[in-house]
Amino acid sequence: MDAKQVDKVAILARLEFTPEEKQKFPEQLSNILNYIDQLTKLDTGEIQPMGQPLGELMDKLRLAEDNHLEYENREELLKNAPDPSPPDDPEYFRVKKVIE
Amino acid sequence: MSIIKTVDKIRSGELSSRELLEKYLPLIEAGQEKLNSYVPPLLSEKARLAADRLDERIKAGGGEKIGRLAGIPVAIKDNMLLEGTATTCGSNILKNYNSPYTATAVQKIIDEGAVIVGKTNMDEFAMGSSGETSYFGPVKNPADINRIPGGSSSGSAAVVADKHVFASLGSDTGGSIRQPAAMCGVVGMKPTYGLVSRYGLVAFASSLDQIGPFALNVEDAALILEVIAGYDPKDSTSYNPENYADEKTLDIVSGVNDGVNGLKFGIPKEYLLDGLDPEIRSRLEETAGILVKAGAEVQEVSLPLTKYAVAVYYIVAPAEASANLARYDGVKYGLRTGNGKDLMEDYLKTRQEGFGSEVKRRIMLGTYALSSGYYDAYYLKAQKVRNLMKADFENVFSQVDMILSPTTPTTAFKIGEKTEDPLTMYLSDIYTISSNLVGIPAISIPAGTDSKGLPIGIQFMAPLLEDRRLFTAGRVIEGTYPNE
């Protein structure tokens, strides 16, 4: 990963870096990716990808019916917002204007 | 210090929880001073209230059930929610986050009477193997304060090793319970994926994360696991034993003293290659001898994909982390440093200031591995190798009941020694990573110290849902090499 690729991925990841990170990341990330590249030596043509460890057992769990439940403590959750809407309408998170 | 014996004294009234707590609080404060093992503040006042409430209930009698952890001082890793406390996850981005509810595993120990004395310091977002990436400063190893305690559940291991709590909870994504347990000289256990609810645990890599116990001995660790395990509808990956498991799966404590007579253990030959400290290797061989003496068979087995485990892990875990950590955007909770000109700039500034370098590195790796044009080569490839690794383990478990191995290739290294070289740091997890990828349970048991006086850990791994076997095996070898 060169500096240009680092910049591109950083935007995708919504990240910015300190000058020190900017200087070190291309080399550090390249070293890690080079190490990871040894996986290309393995033939995995017909193998199914594995997303989670419990396999079919987890698929059975997923068959459970979905139930809609109301979360009781909405106010408490909103208290953690850096900029919640005013107390007379405590329903929203506020952000900068996104549509002109 | 045994939980079971101490709880007996508290139940009988021979000792009050408050008396016990007051004995430990000065040790906790001294431990914090020396080890930086908690994210401040300590929860001393809350703990006093909890202890007093418990004592009143015991005094009142009336047949009310007194829990299996009654009055026991316990610490929890600071990535688990406890209502009314901050949950920082070792990060600047969450330093002012107030837990709006309590994690299921934490609630379960509270319901059994545990007294929570503090939230332990950790690698930021559980990303690290040394306790050095915490926003709140590095945690120190009680065996040598110039050395790392391991990570990422650094404080949870250190506080038990310092013997100022009886047990603690940690979380393990690639070894984050077992590796610090080994380096600090305590018992640390990662349960089968899905056995313990992750509700209220800050998510790092959702297909790998599990909460598990630290304790000073195998029986206490078994007790804590028995308390925290079980189905929780609030976690969609929680395992429902009613439907699928052996009825004894969650009956952990009762089998602790069953012994290993007739059991087969396998040592993977790939775990004995270069990089393994010769002192740890010879301790492993001695441990095998103890098992044989107790009636077990020990043989060599092969896990040929071992050398790929770290590579697979450093795709899967960062990929999941990059998705899980997208929620830290300065909008819903956590830090917002928003003097940007628009929302995008607010995101960038907030995450720049909020995350430390290791977290950023992993988000970068994960985003890269999932990005268009690289997904097949990295993420999909890793998921396929992960499936091959699962087959490797299934093959070994068709030959033996448990795998025996070192927990770590070296004992605790010096603070600062590996911070400049992330890849070397990642490779220190070589023996612990695979069990997370395939979901199986594993435990680290203290096996004395090396010639420098630093703790050595021995690991057992068992098939999915055979968690109880690990305690039976651990019980046979524990105490063979008493520390000091």
Side-chain angles (χ1 to χ4, degrees):
Chain A
M1 222 195 267
D2 58 25
K4 218 174 127 190
Q5 270 177 308
V6 167
D7 286 346
K8 194 184 148 200
V9 177
I11 289 295
L12 293 175
R14 303 290 186 262
L15 287 176
E16 258 182 13
F17 304 123
T18 65
E20 203 196 348
E21 287 165 349
K22 234 179 210 160
Q23 191 232 321
K24 284 182 179 169
F25 274 14
E27 195 195 331
Q28 288 178 336
L29 292 169
S30 297
N31 284 344
I32 297 163
L33 288 170
N34 287 340
Y35 178 82
I36 287 171
D37 278 339
Q38 61 173 308
L39 292 179
T40 54
K41 283 188 232 148
L42 278 168
D43 180 11
T44 49
E46 299 296 306
I47 309 298
Q48 288 299 307
M50 171 179 163
Q52 48 77 19
L54 292 181
E56 287 166 18
L57 293 168
M58 192 63 79
D59 295 339
K60 284 189 199 165
L61 294 179
R62 291 267 156 73
L63 292 177
E65 211 173 301
D66 286 334
N67 292 314
H68 177 95
L69 296 173
E70 205 66 47
Y71 186 75
E72 293 155 10
N73 210 350
R74 189 188 181 101
E75 251 173 64
E76 201 57 39
L77 295 185
L78 281 158
K79 271 190 202 159
N80 269 306
D83 188 13
S85 55
D88 55 317
D89 188 17
E91 285 282 301
Y92 307 104
F93 302 111
R94 287 200 294 201
V95 294
K96 289 208 170 89
K97 195 151 75 171
V98 283
I99 304 168
E100 288 301 330
Chain B
M1 277 175 87
S2 146
I3 293 179
I4 292 167
K5 281 182 196 150
T6 309
V7 168
D8 281 345
K9 283 188 193 164
I10 286 175
R11 277 176 168 161
S12 70
E14 188 188 331
L15 177 72
S16 79
S17 338
R18 181 65 187 263
E19 281 166 0
L20 181 68
L21 180 67
E22 292 301 337
K23 191 177 133 196
Y24 278 93
L25 282 176
L27 303 176
I28 291 166
E29 279 163 30
Q32 167 66 351
E33 186 75 21
K34 186 173 90 172
L35 307 169
N36 195 33
S37 45
Y38 295 91
V39 173
L42 294 169
L43 304 177
S44 313
E45 282 316 306
K46 267 179 167 300
R48 286 188 171 108
L49 284 174
D52 286 347
R53 267 200 310 270
L54 189 77
D55 287 333
E56 278 162 30
R57 277 177 49 204
I58 293 170
K59 234 186 231 162
E64 210 182 334
K65 185 178 165 271
I66 301 302
R68 303 171 79 190
L69 303 175
I72 297 299
V74 171
I76 60 172
K77 188 176 181 178
D78 202 23
N79 59 352
M80 294 172 212
L81 303 191
L82 171 62
E83 195 176 347
T85 69
T87 295
T88 71
C89 223
S91 183
N92 185 23
I93 214 161
L94 282 177
K95 75 176 169 206
N96 293 317
Y97 178 75
N98 289 311
S99 319
Y101 57 92
T102 298
T104 299
V106 176
Q107 191 60 52
K108 283 185 159 198
I109 60 169
I110 292 172
D111 290 347
E112 290 291 342
V115 173
I116 296 176
V117 298
K119 303 192 73 184
T120 58
N121 200 355
M122 57 182 280
D123 280 299
E124 185 179 5
F125 281 99
M127 297 175 187
S129 310
S130 68
E132 293 166 286
T133 72
S134 171
Y135 176 74
F136 302 94
V139 183
K140 291 157 192 171
N141 192 323
D144 177 350
I145 57 163
N146 297 309
R147 290 177 187 267
I148 59 106
S152 69
S153 308
S154 317
S156 288
V159 296
V160 174
D162 195 45
K163 296 192 170 81
H164 68 240
V165 292
F166 285 68
S168 65
L169 296 184
S171 66
D172 190 314
T173 305
S176 282
I177 290 175
R178 291 158 288 155
Q179 188 254 21
M183 289 184 167
C184 290
V186 298
V187 177
M189 192 266 174
K190 180 205 98 77
T192 295
Y193 181 76
L195 200 72
V196 177
S197 168
R198 295 184 293 115
Y199 181 71
L201 171 72
V202 178
F204 161 13
S206 306
S207 81
L208 305 166
D209 299 340
Q210 262 298 277
I211 292 174
F214 287 92
L216 282 165
N217 61 67
V218 168
E219 195 173 35
D220 286 354
L223 174 59
I224 302 282
L225 178 63
E226 195 167 292
V227 167
I228 62 175
Y231 177 61
D232 178 12
K234 288 176 178 155
D235 173 0
S236 67
T237 60
S238 171
Y239 199 86
N240 189 339
E242 271 178 26
N243 295 331
Y244 312 116
D246 182 312
E247 60 181 28
K248 278 195 150 180
T249 300
L250 297 182
D251 195 358
I252 315 277
V253 179
S254 71
V256 162
N257 289 314
D258 283 356
V260 294
N261 190 26
L263 293 183
K264 283 187 188 158
F265 292 81
I267 300 178
K269 62 178 184 202
E270 293 81 3
Y271 283 38
L272 304 177
L273 300 177
D274 36 296
L276 175 59
D277 179 331
E279 288 192 65
I280 297 180
R281 182 180 176 144
S282 67
R283 191 60 49 86
L284 178 74
E285 282 157 4
E286 289 165 32
T287 304
I290 297 163
L291 293 169
V292 170
K293 246 191 205 158
E297 279 177 48
V298 180
Q299 65 187 72
E300 185 184 279
V301 290
S302 177
L303 289 166
L305 294 171
T306 299
K307 64 176 171 184
Y308 299 107
V310 172
V312 172
Y313 180 85
Y314 278 96
I315 296 172
V316 173
E320 294 183 12
S322 73
N324 274 327
L325 273 64
R327 72 190 69 179
Y328 304 102
D329 56 4
V331 175
K332 298 178 285 294
Y333 41 73
L335 182 76
R336 177 192 287 188
T337 50
N339 289 325
K341 65 174 176 350
D342 54 20
L343 184 59
M344 178 66 167
E345 214 166 85
D346 279 4
Y347 290 155
L348 294 172
K349 301 269 177 251
T350 296
R351 288 162 68 84
Q352 145 65 7
E353 198 172 308
F355 292 137
S357 294
E358 182 58 24
V359 173
K360 288 181 191 166
R361 254 193 305 272
R362 299 213 195 179
I363 293 174
M364 287 291 289
L365 275 176
T367 306
Y368 181 72
L370 291 173
S371 67
S372 170
Y374 297 97
Y375 180 88
D376 286 3
Y378 288 104
Y379 188 66
L380 203 63
K381 184 77 180 182
Q383 299 285 50
K384 287 178 175 179
V385 180
R386 191 176 181 187
N387 215 356
L388 288 173
M389 290 176 63
K390 188 175 171 227
D392 252 13
F393 274 89
E394 280 166 1
N395 177 41
V396 166
F397 286 128
S398 71
Q399 303 161 47
V400 297
D401 300 291
M402 269 175 271
I403 293 169
L404 169 67
S405 82
T407 310
T408 57
T410 67
T411 51
F413 42 91
K414 291 216 166 89
I415 291 174
E417 196 177 316
K418 294 188 181 180
T419 41
E420 286 303 303
D421 186 359
L423 185 58
T424 310
M425 184 80 91
Y426 296 172
L427 290 170
S428 71
D429 294 336
I430 179 75
Y431 304 135
T432 49
I433 269 175
S434 299
S435 57
N436 298 80
L437 288 168
V438 302
I440 59 172
I443 197 166
S444 181
I445 305 289
T449 53
D450 67 6
S451 50
K452 294 196 278 293
L454 301 171
I456 291 174
I458 293 296
Q459 178 177 240
F460 293 100
M461 291 182 262
L464 282 176
L465 298 167
E466 296 294 344
D467 301 59
R468 63 202 309 272
R469 281 188 202 168
L470 300 172
F471 297 93
T472 311
R475 184 77 190 87
V476 170
I477 67 159
E478 79 171 335
T480 312
Y481 304 95
N483 287 339
E484 285 138 283

